[in-house]
C-alpha cells in the first residue's frame, strides 16, 4: 500500500511540475488544467491546451534548438512516467509533419530532432536490438475471418513468422539518409498493435453491413474495440490508447452518418 502511495504522489508532483513549466511558455494555460486534481489527464485531454501547443509547434521558429516548448516536450518525455509520455506522443504527428515541411527550407530543426530522437532512442533501448515479430496461421486454412472450401491433409495450419517492425539501429542524429525511416517508424510507433488493429479496421470499414453475418461481425468488432480501449486505459498503454481511440472515433462517425472525407458542395470558387 505504501509503495503505491509513493508512486502516485511522485506521478502527481511530476505532472504538476510539467504544468508549471508550461505556464512560462504558453500565453495562458487553461484554468481547468492548472486546477485539475488529475494533472496528467488534464494535460492529455484538454482541447484548448492541445490547440495552444499545436499552434506553438507551427510557429516559424518552433523547431530551433533553444525553443522552450521543444525543451519542455523533451524533458516531459524523459520523466519516464507513461502518462506524461503519452502527452508528448499526442503531438508526435504534428511535430513530424512540421519537421518534414521545413527540411527543404534549411531552417534550424535541432529542437524537433531532439524530441523525435528521444522517442526513437527510448524504443530502441527497450527492444534491445530485437525486431517485433508475431506468428500468424497459414491463410490457406479456414479461420474465424474467412472460409476455405479446399481440404487439407494437415490437421493444424503452419505458423508463419511476420516482422511487424524491424530491428532499430541506434541513431545519434537525424541524417538526411535516415530521416524518412526514422520518422516513418515514429509515426508507426503509436500503432506496434498493427496486426490486431488491421483486422478490427477491416471488420469495421471493409465489409457490407447489409449482410446479417457481416453486421454481427461489425458489432463484435465494435465491442472488441471498446474492450481493448478500456484495457489500454487500465494499463496506461500510450500506443494502444491513441490507436484504438482512433477506431472508436471512426465508429462514432459511422453512427452519426457523417462522411468527413466528402468534399463540401459550394458555389464559391477559391483561387
Amino acid at each position: 500500500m505504501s509503495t503505491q502511495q509513493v508512486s502516485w504522489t511522485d506521478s502527481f508532483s511530476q505532472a504538476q511540475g510539467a504544468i508549471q513549466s508550461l505556464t512560462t511558455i504558453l500565453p495562458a494555460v487553461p484554468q481547468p488544467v492548472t486546477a485539475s486534481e488529475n494533472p496528467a489527464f488534464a494535460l492529455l485531454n484538454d482541447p484548448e491546451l492541445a490547440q495552444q501547443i499545436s499552434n506553438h509547434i507551427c510557429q516559424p521558429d518552433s523547431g530551433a534548438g533553444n525553443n522552450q516548448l521543444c525543451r519542455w516536450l523533451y524533458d516531459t518525455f524523459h520523466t519516464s512516467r507513461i502518462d506524461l509520455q503519452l502527452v508528448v506522443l499526442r503531438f508526435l504527428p504534428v511535430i513530424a509533419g512540421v519537421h518534414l515541411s521545413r527540411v527543404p527550407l534549411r531552417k534550424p530543426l535541432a529542437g524537433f530532432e531532439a524530441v523525435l530522437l528521444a522517442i526513437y532512442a527510448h524504443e530502441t533501448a527497450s527492444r534491445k536490438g530485437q525486431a517485433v515479430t508475431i506468428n500468424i496461421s497459414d491463410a490457406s486454412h479456414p479461420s474465424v475471418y474467412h472460409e476455405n472450401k479446399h481440404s487439407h491433409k494437415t490437421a493444424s495450419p503452419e505458423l508463419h513468422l511476420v516482422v511487424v517492425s524491424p530491428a532499430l539501429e541506434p541513431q545519434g542524429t537525424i541524417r538526411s539518409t535516415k530521416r524518412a525511416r526514422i520518422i516513418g517508424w515514429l509515426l508507426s510507433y503509436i500503432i506496434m498493435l498493427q496486426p490486431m488493429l488491421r483486422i478490427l479496421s477491416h471488420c469495421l470499414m471493409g465489409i457490407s453491413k447489409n449482410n446479417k453475418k457481416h453486421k454481427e461481425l461489425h458489432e463484435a468488432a465494435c465491442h472488441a474495440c471498446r474492450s481493448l480501449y478500456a484495457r489500454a486505459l487500465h494499463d496506461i498503454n500510450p500506443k494502444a490508447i491513441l490507436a484504438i481511440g482512433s477506431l472508436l472515433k471512426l465508429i462514432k462517425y459511422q453512427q452519426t452518418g457523417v462522411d468527413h472525407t466528402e468534399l463540401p458542395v459550394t458555389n464559391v470558387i477559391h483561387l
Side-chain angles (χ1 to χ4, degrees), residues 167-216:
L168 301 177
E169 301 176 358
Q171 304 290 341
T173 59
I174 299 183
R175 301 181 181 275
S176 59
T177 56
K178 300 290 185 178
R179 180 177 289 110
R181 179 174 181 180
I182 292 175
I183 294 182
W185 175 85
L186 286 170
L187 293 176
S188 69
Y189 175 74
I190 61 176
I191 49 171
M192 296 314 177
L193 299 174
Q194 288 186 55
M196 184 187 302
L197 295 182
R198 285 174 182 173
I199 294 173
L200 289 176
S201 298
H202 174 74
C203 295
L204 292 171
M205 308 296 293
I207 60 175
S208 172
K209 290 182 287 184
N210 295 328
N211 182 288
K212 182 179 179 180
K213 288 186 178 180
H214 287 176
K215 185 177 181 180
E216 293 176 353

Side-chain angles (χ1 to χ4, degrees), residues 43-44 53-54 57 72-74 76-78 81-96 115-123 185-192 236-243 246:
L43 278 171
L44 176 64
I53 293 178
S54 297
I57 291 174
W72 182 85
L73 292 167
Y74 179 89
T76 300
F77 189 81
H78 275 98
R81 304 296 310 185
I82 296 178
D83 47 1
L84 291 179
Q85 288 179 338
L86 181 56
V87 175
V88 180
L89 290 179
R90 173 173 186 174
F91 300 100
L92 177 57
V94 181
I95 296 172
V115 178
L116 297 174
L117 285 172
I119 302 172
Y120 184 88
H122 172 78
E123 183 67 6
W185 175 85
L186 286 170
L187 293 176
S188 69
Y189 175 74
I190 61 176
I191 49 171
M192 296 314 177
I236 316 180
N237 186 329
K239 293 173 285 187
I241 291 173
L242 289 175
S246 297

